[in-house]
Amino acid sequence: MIEIDGSYGEGGGQVVRTAVALSAVTGKKVKVTNIRKNRPNPGLKQQHLKALETAARICGARVSGLFPGSSELFFAPVEIKGGKYEIDIGTAGSITLLLQSLMPALPFAKEKVELTIRGGTDVAWSPTIDYLQHVTFRALEQLGYAGSVTLKKRGYYPRGGGEVSAVFEPCKLRGFHFRKEGENKKGGENRIEEKNQKGEKKQNHGKEVMGISHASNLPAHVPSRQAEAAESMLLEAGYGSRINVRACELLSTGSGITLWSGYCGGSALGERGLPAEKVGRRAAEEIISELRTEASVDVHLADQLIPYMALAGNSSYTAREITLHAATNIWVTEQFLEVKFRIKEKDGLFEVSVD
């Protein structure tokens, strides 16, 4: 049995998510103590409970410590099985974080796994569903991962009500070395002159940023203003963009915007009293800070890729920073798999590799 101190490093829910997923893959029992000890409200929360319950169902695990506020968990997997599963988090708990507890294990299922999950699709402190779809899954495809996610309904904090369907096929992961993507076909290596809203000429780097700006139960101009502010800032920085605008009426009220280009993304969520323009600019600032470097992946993807790279072997990427989340994920992964990650600093970037 492997024992994991949940207070190590970042000390949040990611420790439990990665530990349970790799426990399912390896068949090794795991005991996690001091769960989320570094958080204001330590212990397991509703979204963690649902994720762990689902993981236990999929791999027939014996599990104890599944209750709100629990600081200790025991998980003993048997076999990863395919099938159809429905999960209702019951709150606006993050659907994407729930998937993080399952996704590293699903390539090793005996047959296809189909999930229908209800909860929050665009909530604070978690990847947005659009980021998962357009950045995470795009990167995982390079490692041979066979999975997809479809958004049915968005769900915002605090009411939730979002719905997502996801399908995962058994597959064999393969190594991949992530490199910064070249300029798109439209621009090639040449700079493209475009004009901003004031008619001033701006240099376009040849990269096109895609995006979705969305809102529910709010005036239609809210997602439009988010998109316009993001487009303006991107253009000032030399990047062309195409941002879809979507307004609808759902159970929950909220707004957000997600931007992506290659293996980099940026997102922001609306808040009461926060102008839509600030929301758009926040997302633009986040992705611009990544695109301006020579890093092959953004700092959030750098964290998420760790267990998949270890399972695939012979993989690497560069990032502008090694966050505490990424360092913690490396530590947890090395407890389960006979791998060793290497981190080298070169030209202001960090190369992370594993054999």
Side-chain angles (χ1 to χ4, degrees), residues 285-301:
E285 286 169 354
E286 187 173 337
I287 193 170
I288 289 169
S289 67
E290 299 289 349
L291 294 177
R292 278 179 170 165
T293 75
E294 290 302 312
S296 58
V297 306
D298 71 36
V299 293
H300 303 297
L301 185 60

Side-chain angles (χ1 to χ4, degrees), residues 125-341:
W125 312 111
S126 65
T128 66
I129 195 66
D130 300 305
Y131 182 96
L132 182 72
Q133 189 173 34
H134 297 287
V135 181
T136 306
F137 272 104
R138 186 171 184 278
L140 292 181
E141 284 176 7
Q142 306 303 323
L143 295 168
Y145 195 92
S148 63
V149 62
T150 303
L151 173 65
K152 301 294 188 182
K153 290 185 293 186
R154 291 192 187 274
Y156 306 91
Y157 181 83
R159 297 192 70 182
E163 183 176 330
V164 165
S165 63
V167 179
F168 303 89
E169 300 277 358
C171 58
K172 182 173 178 58
L173 299 180
R174 59 176 180 264
F176 185 77
H177 298 285
F178 290 90
R179 297 289 179 259
K180 190 171 184 70
E181 292 196 327
E183 310 298 336
N184 64 20
K185 293 180 181 179
K186 174 186 174 184
E189 291 296 329
N190 299 319
R191 306 293 185 186
I192 306 166
E193 279 196 347
E194 292 191 8
K195 293 183 179 180
N196 63 13
Q197 292 176 336
K198 297 179 182 178
E200 299 167 335
K201 289 183 178 181
K202 292 293 177 181
Q203 292 296 319
N204 187 305
H205 292 290
K207 282 188 177 298
E208 187 168 51
V209 175
M210 307 299 291
I212 296 176
S213 179
H214 51 86
S216 169
N217 302 331
L218 293 170
H221 63 73
V222 171
S224 295
R225 287 162 52 207
Q226 290 177 166
E228 288 165 5
E231 288 171 342
S232 177
M233 178 166 277
L234 286 165
L235 187 55
E236 290 288 333
Y239 300 98
S241 60
R242 281 192 292 166
I243 303 175
N244 291 323
V245 176
R246 297 174 186 172
C248 55
E249 294 183 4
L250 300 167
L251 174 68
S252 55
T253 299
S255 74
I257 179 171
T258 300
L259 307 171
W260 62 88
S261 178
Y263 306 120
C264 295
S267 63
L269 299 175
E271 301 172 18
R272 187 182 295 274
L274 183 67
E277 289 78 11
K278 283 193 175 182
V279 178
R281 286 195 292 269
R282 282 181 180 178
E285 286 169 354
E286 187 173 337
I287 193 170
I288 289 169
S289 67
E290 299 289 349
L291 294 177
R292 278 179 170 165
T293 75
E294 290 302 312
S296 58
V297 306
D298 71 36
V299 293
H300 303 297
L301 185 60
D303 161 27
Q304 297 174 34
L305 285 175
I306 295 301
Y308 303 96
M309 288 170 55
L311 292 166
N314 192 27
S315 299
S316 66
Y317 64 67
T318 54
R320 63 180 174 85
E321 177 187 355
I322 301 300
T323 65
L324 190 54
H325 273 86
T328 304
N329 234 5
I330 288 172
W331 176 79
V332 175
T333 300
E334 289 179 343
Q335 308 307 302
F336 285 90
L337 304 172
E338 294 182 3
V339 298
K340 186 68 179 176
F341 282 86

